[in-house]
Amino acid sequence: ETGVTQSPTHLIKTRGQQVTLRCSSQSGHNTVSWYQQALGQGPQFIFQYYREEENGRGNFPPRFSGLQFPNYSSELNVNALELDDSALYLCASREMPGLAALPQFFGPGTRLTVL
Amino acid sequence: AQSVSQHNHHVILSEAASLELGCNYSYGGTVNLFWYVQYPGQHLQLLLKYFSGDPLVKGIKGFEAEFIKSKFSFNLRKPSVQWSDTAEYFCAVKGSQGNLIFGKGTKLSVKP
């Protein structure tokens, strides 16, 4: 078990709706990253937040957005859901961005199904 | 752009068999490499990592990996697998934004 928690565990939405996923990072970690893991694929980087600002982004459209709060918890928002957004969404936290020596700790994920 | 390839989609072994999972990366410069494991119903966990120095890296649970720069490879090995090693294994490289770039994963099934 890591100290990273995510909510909800599972979620079912319909196409066109909006969804918010939440993550609480491990104590002392100020950097949060979000990944999308589609079925049969490895996790893909969505974006990263450090001190409440986005400081890295993968190849995802603007309808994927996020927030980081002063307590370093984070939200991932997805607007105008599409069927292909169905995936496991993973949150990872670490002490500082960019330093590979510092491990990332992953949460259990939120399974999103879009119908 | 950096990428990671994992050769095997699904590997089935009997207990006590030796394991080697292939991983190749695309970037030719300095790389930071990782192996993560995802046990059924659990979160991703770091098995081992390579930054520099000794190309043979030892990780948790008896796993090791060898970095071969000339082959752009970072294969994961274990001399004798156990049923409890049944899981999905992901190779990853550090991206330019400090993110992780993962391969598609290899599912390992160990028969008791």
Side-chain angles (χ1 to χ4, degrees), chain A residues 48 94-104, chain B residues 32 34 51 94 97-98:
Chain A
Q48 176 175 274
R94 52 152 95 169
E95 290 180 44
M96 288 274 294
L99 297 178
L102 298 174
Q104 296 200 39
Chain B
N32 299 139
F34 308 82
F51 299 128
K94 181 196 166 195
Q97 301 180 83

Side-chain angles (χ1 to χ4, degrees), chain A residues 38-88:
Chain A
L39 201 61
Q41 303 293 318
Q44 289 196 33
F45 175 62
I46 303 174
F47 46 56
Q48 176 175 274
Y49 277 80
Y50 172 60
R51 293 184 175 176
E52 302 175 54
E53 291 195 4
E54 183 181 299
N55 80 335
R57 189 175 184 95
N59 189 25
F60 280 81
R63 61 189 183 84
F64 285 78
S65 63
L67 284 172
Q68 187 182 30
F69 300 100
N71 66 355
Y72 304 133
S73 65
S74 176
E75 287 183 355
L76 163 65
N77 298 290
V78 188
N79 293 323
L81 283 167
E82 300 177 1
L83 297 179
D84 284 350
D85 295 334
S86 295
L88 181 68

Side-chain angles (χ1 to χ4, degrees), chain B residues 19-58:
Chain B
L19 170 72
E20 181 160 3
L21 301 182
C23 171
N24 287 94
Y25 60 93
S26 63
Y27 182 59
T30 301
V31 289
N32 299 139
L33 295 158
F34 308 82
W35 275 97
Y36 279 83
V37 61
Q38 193 169 35
Y39 296 103
Q42 295 189 28
H43 56 271
L44 272 170
Q45 300 174 44
L46 181 65
L47 269 181
L48 48 81
K49 57 189 178 184
Y50 172 80
F51 299 128
S52 62
D54 189 344
L56 187 61
V57 180
K58 294 194 182 299

Side-chain angles (χ1 to χ4, degrees), chain A residues 1-16:
Chain A
E1 288 275 332
T2 69
V4 181
T5 61
Q6 292 185 244
S7 63
T9 306
H10 297 87
L11 201 53
I12 299 175
K13 292 285 190 178
T14 56
R15 199 169 45 182

Side-chain angles (χ1 to χ4, degrees), chain B residues 8 11 13 17-23 35 66 68 73-78 81 106:
Chain B
N8 310 102
V11 172
L13 295 172
S18 63
L19 170 72
E20 181 160 3
L21 301 182
C23 171
W35 275 97
E66 186 174 13
I68 304 180
S73 72
F74 189 56
N75 292 354
L76 181 71
R77 299 196 294 245
K78 186 171 185 179
V81 295
T106 297

